[in-house]
Every structure is written in C-alpha cells, then in structure tokens.
Amino acid sequence: MRTASAEIHVYPDLPTASRALAERLVGQLHEVVGRKNRCTLVLAGGSTPQSLYDYLAAEYAETIPWEHVHIFWGDERFVPPVDASSNARMAREALLDHVPIPRKNIHPMPTDYDDPEVAARAYEEMLRGVFDGVAWPAFDLMLLGLGADGHTASLFPGSVALKESERWVAPVEVPSVEPPRRLTLTLPALNHAEQVHFLVFGAEKADAVECAQVDPPNVERCPASAVRLVHGTLTWWLDAEAASRIVKEK
Ligand code: 6PG
C-alpha cells in the first residue's frame, strides 16, 4: 500500500511485522555498507522495537557487517544508562550486547550531564563530527516508534522543539510522561534521513497511525505527521490493529 509520502506494510501481528522489517533493514544495511563502507543506524526507543532487536540478535548476529555499522538514538530519556527506562539500556540488552559491534561504534545520547541542554549540545557536536560540514545529518537508516498521542522520538504534541529549525538535537520536558526530561533529534534531523522505518502495533495506536498520514501534516497535534523525508524513503510496518483506521475493510 502507498500514500503520497510513504510505503505501508501491514502484517497479522508484531512478530511478523518485525521479521519483515528486519529483512528489509538488513538488505538496506548491506547495500549501504557496500556503497559507503559505513552505515549509520538510528535506533528507536520505547518497547515496540524490542522484538525487532531480539530478532536481529538471534538471526543476524553473524551476517551483519557490524564493524561498519554506527549506532545512534532518535531520543533518550534523561536517566542514567542503567535505568530501566533507558532506551540505550533496552537496545543493549536486546541487541547490542549480543552482536560483535565495536563499542566505539555505539553512540548513546549522553545522560550523565546535570543539564539536558548541555547534553543535547554535546550529542549534536558529536553528530556534526560524524556528518561533517552538512546542514543536516543524513542518517542512512532510522527506526522510529509512534505514541498513541502522535509523538515520535521525543517530539510530543505542542512541544516547542517542533519549531526547531537549526538544532539537530534538543532537550525536552514533557510533564505528562515518565520520565519527563528527554533528549530528541529534531524534525529536520529526522527528515534528512535516507530510509526511515516506523514500527507500530496495537489498536491503541490506530488513531495516531491515521493522523500521521494526514496531508498537509498537522505538526502540533500529530508530530509524526511531519515526518516527511526531504530525499529519503518512509516506510510503515504495522500490525492489522494499528492499521485498522487506514486499511479499508474488503
Ligand atoms: C521513547 C520513544 C518513543 C516511542 C513511542 C512508542 O523514548 O519512548 O522513542 O517515541 O517510540 O513512545 O513507544 P512504545 O513502543 O513503548 O509504544
């Protein structure tokens, strides 16, 4: 299925969607490494991608050229790396601790600063070293999740970070979620990626999936609708429940 801005795949359940996404991701990763000898991969947080990470660790630990893969995050909760809510901790436990990726290739968002503002600037400075001399980072592959309220990464409805037009990384404070302090890539940083994959499942996300397809985007109400890639390809990987508002019954 296609919309004006995205390719949409629907599967019976999350494990099936995760396996299909893993296959596409691994193919794209091999192509990028073959072309550039390096692949930058942005991981999503939250709980949905855990099944994808588990599957990548179980099935592709030995076949992915991990020494050429560099790992980043789209957002991070501003908590210690050992905290149960850390996105980096989840990714390490589900994937990175189980594959032969050099530690130097793993670039978590820093949460050991007192001030999230300083942490955001430090991550951005690191990124500007990776993507040298460009206005926006062109991540090769990016995974994103979707909140029931239409947020993605840590770009929440009504957030001042949604208006960011220069910074690559921003600190946010979201009182309605736990933990409230976070770091996030900004919308232009998301939108300059080459390949962006949303992995979303569950009936509670159906409304958000529908609103994320609106054209023109409604960035304040549904930040995910503003993920509109400048050059790249956007693909949604959904289970039937999450897709229930956009797939018309036959
Ligand atoms: C985070 C994520 C966030 C997540 C959505 C969906 O740090 O929470 O990056 O954007 O992808 O909130 O979360 P679930 O997968 O847990 O539903």
Side-chain angles (χ1 to χ4, degrees), residues 44-49 74-77 87 144-148 151-154 156 182 199 201 204-205:
S47 55
T48 299
D75 73 316
E76 183 57 276
R77 290 83 181 274
N87 287 336
L144 289 176
L146 178 69
H151 82 262
T152 190
S154 280
F156 285 78
R182 295 161 177 239
L199 178 63
F201 88 103
E204 73 280 7
K205 303 287 179 77

Side-chain angles (χ1 to χ4, degrees), residues 1-9 24 213 232-235:
M1 179 179 162
R2 288 197 65 79
T3 65
S5 59
E7 188 184 312
I8 299 177
H9 300 279
R24 174 72 68 85
Q213 313 308 319
T233 302
L234 175 62
T235 308

Side-chain angles (χ1 to χ4, degrees), residues 22-64:
E23 197 173 315
R24 174 72 68 85
L25 208 56
V26 171
Q28 289 175 341
L29 197 152
H30 279 291
E31 188 279 326
V32 171
V33 170
R35 184 163 36 92
K36 300 166 56 173
N37 207 33
R38 178 185 89 169
C39 181
T40 54
L41 168 59
V42 177
L43 296 184
S47 55
T48 299
Q50 186 157 353
S51 63
L52 168 65
Y53 300 161
D54 288 338
Y55 187 69
L56 287 170
E59 300 299 325
Y60 295 98
E62 300 311 321
T63 53
I64 287 176

Side-chain angles (χ1 to χ4, degrees), residues 61-187:
E62 300 311 321
T63 53
I64 287 176
W66 294 103
E67 68 277 15
H68 297 290
V69 179
H70 283 262
I71 300 288
F72 305 86
W73 275 264
D75 73 316
E76 183 57 276
R77 290 83 181 274
F78 203 65
V79 294
V82 295
D83 189 288
S85 67
S86 163
N87 287 336
R89 174 176 168 177
M90 185 275 276
R92 286 187 193 280
E93 290 178 347
L95 174 60
L96 301 175
D97 288 350
H98 309 286
V99 298
I101 184 168
R103 296 292 99 180
K104 66 179 176 53
N105 288 19
I106 302 173
H107 310 279
M109 290 184 160
T111 59
D112 48 356
Y113 289 83
D114 291 336
D115 182 353
E117 175 65 38
V118 176
R121 293 195 185 285
Y123 202 64
E124 179 163 332
E125 186 180 344
M126 181 279 294
L127 289 178
R128 287 184 184 275
V130 174
F131 297 95
D132 188 25
V134 292
W136 296 103
F139 291 106
D140 296 305
L141 307 179
M142 179 181 286
L143 297 171
L144 289 176
L146 178 69
D149 61 357
H151 82 262
T152 190
S154 280
L155 296 167
F156 285 78
S159 169
V160 67
L162 294 171
K163 296 180 174 57
E164 186 54 61
S165 60
E166 289 178 10
R167 296 179 68 173
W168 295 10
V169 186
V172 295
E173 182 104 25
V174 190
S176 59
V177 295
E178 184 54 39
R181 296 197 308 174
R182 295 161 177 239
L183 303 177
T184 186
L185 293 184
T186 58
L187 271 173

